[in-house]
Amino acid sequence: MAEIPDDEYILKTTSACAGCSIPLCLRYITKAAGPDTVLVIPACCTSVIQGLYPNTAVNIPVYNVAFASAAAVASGMSEAFRAAGKKTNVICFAGDGGTVDIGIQALSGALERGTDFLYVCYDNEAYSNTGMQRSGATPLGAATTTTPAGKKEFKKDLDAIVNAHNPVYMATACSAYPLDLYNKVEKALSITGPKFIHILAPCPPGWRYQSDKTISVGKLAVQSGMWVLYERENGKISLTGASKAAAKKRIPVEDYLKAQGRFKTASKEEVSELQQAVENNFKRIEKEVDGTC
């Protein structure tokens, strides 16, 4: 952690819930990006977390935009900066609702156009800002206000959708591993073209765990394989951080699920399906790493 700059761009005055992992993610993203950066934020938790006008906890320019338009706004902004000869970092910071569902058309368009920007999806697996409704990112078996008996479908594979656009760089991260996140953002911003980082961001009230357990829950996600840390450069995938160990030996998925109240209604069959999905995912990644897939 000593290599991370001391400069702070996210001040200690956010409106986040106790234990929220979003300010932690944003803190290390902005540390990696530096002061010559603008954030484009659609409707999401961060719209509230940043503070109420005229006050803000974010010490760099922020553009709050409509739910579906973040990547389109960032696309125009990036073109304007580049036309003016500026290298300003343009970073979209959007939740899963504004990425997996509502904003996916704009994201697809920006990736297809080759926009020089970084799109970050912080994923708390539901529409947390409006009461924890189901999103396309909500996993199988998770209870939300609109799926009180647990969601019956698997989580949408956003990373596969993004990868189909062949971005120059894409990666996953987790708020429980800030150095891994910092390094990936720093690398992404050193590359010209469309970049994408997908971060798992545990949510205490939505996931129903005590606010002091955010880091431990994030680590359980990675250690169980329910969330895999990797990066993909020009199509080539490599595991990073704790996921290297998880590829060889994992804790049971059930250990991760039991740490959260949202999976209390999950059936044994659903838990088994999630475990099998983890095994299948690692087999697929292993084949990709070996070049046999």
Side-chain angles (χ1 to χ4, degrees), residues 13-15 46-58 64:
T13 53
T14 72
S15 301
T46 309
S47 303
V48 177
I49 287 171
Q50 67 191 38
L52 298 175
Y53 180 84
N55 301 309
T56 180
V58 185
N64 291 287

Side-chain angles (χ1 to χ4, degrees), residues 115-270:
T115 297
D116 183 22
F117 78 142
L118 171 61
Y119 191 106
V120 176
C121 173
Y122 65 90
D123 189 351
N124 48 34
E125 300 186 325
Y127 289 86
S128 299
N129 189 40
T130 51
M132 203 65 188
Q133 297 90 358
R134 168 209 192 278
S135 81
T138 304
L140 174 72
T144 69
T145 54
T146 50
T147 58
K151 188 186 173 194
K152 302 306 178 186
E153 302 84 23
F154 274 96
K155 178 171 183 165
K156 187 185 294 185
D157 193 346
L158 174 64
D159 296 337
I161 295 170
V162 171
N163 186 43
H165 293 76
N166 298 310
V168 292
Y169 179 86
M170 63 180 291
T172 58
C174 177
S175 57
Y177 299 92
L179 183 58
D180 180 73
L181 170 60
Y182 174 88
N183 288 337
K184 287 171 177 174
V185 172
E186 189 175 50
K187 179 183 287 189
L189 293 175
S190 72
I191 304 169
T192 300
K195 288 84 61 176
F196 176 83
I197 297 180
H198 191 182
I199 308 174
L200 184 68
C203 170
W207 292 18
R208 303 173 194 172
Y209 63 83
Q210 292 182 347
S211 60
D212 62 345
K213 301 297 183 183
T214 291
I215 299 302
S216 61
V217 168
K219 288 184 175 181
L220 287 172
V222 175
Q223 292 165 357
S224 66
M226 280 287 285
W227 191 261
V228 182
L229 302 176
Y230 69 82
E231 57 185 356
R232 189 186 293 275
E233 298 181 73
N234 297 311
K236 187 175 181 180
I237 192 172
S238 58
L239 294 174
T240 65
S243 285
K244 291 181 180 179
K248 298 177 181 178
K249 185 177 181 180
R250 295 176 284 282
I251 65 171
V253 164
E254 192 172 6
D255 289 357
Y256 168 64
L257 304 184
K258 283 182 176 179
Q260 309 160 61
R262 62 176 177 156
F263 287 104
K264 281 186 177 180
T265 60
S267 67
K268 290 182 179 180
E269 290 75 17
E270 288 170 333

Side-chain angles (χ1 to χ4, degrees), residues 50-83:
Q50 67 191 38
L52 298 175
Y53 180 84
N55 301 309
T56 180
V58 185
N59 201 22
I60 54 176
V62 175
Y63 291 82
N64 291 287
V65 300
F67 221 149
S69 67
V73 170
S75 202
M77 190 179 291
S78 175
E79 288 296 316
F81 278 129
R82 303 303 175 257

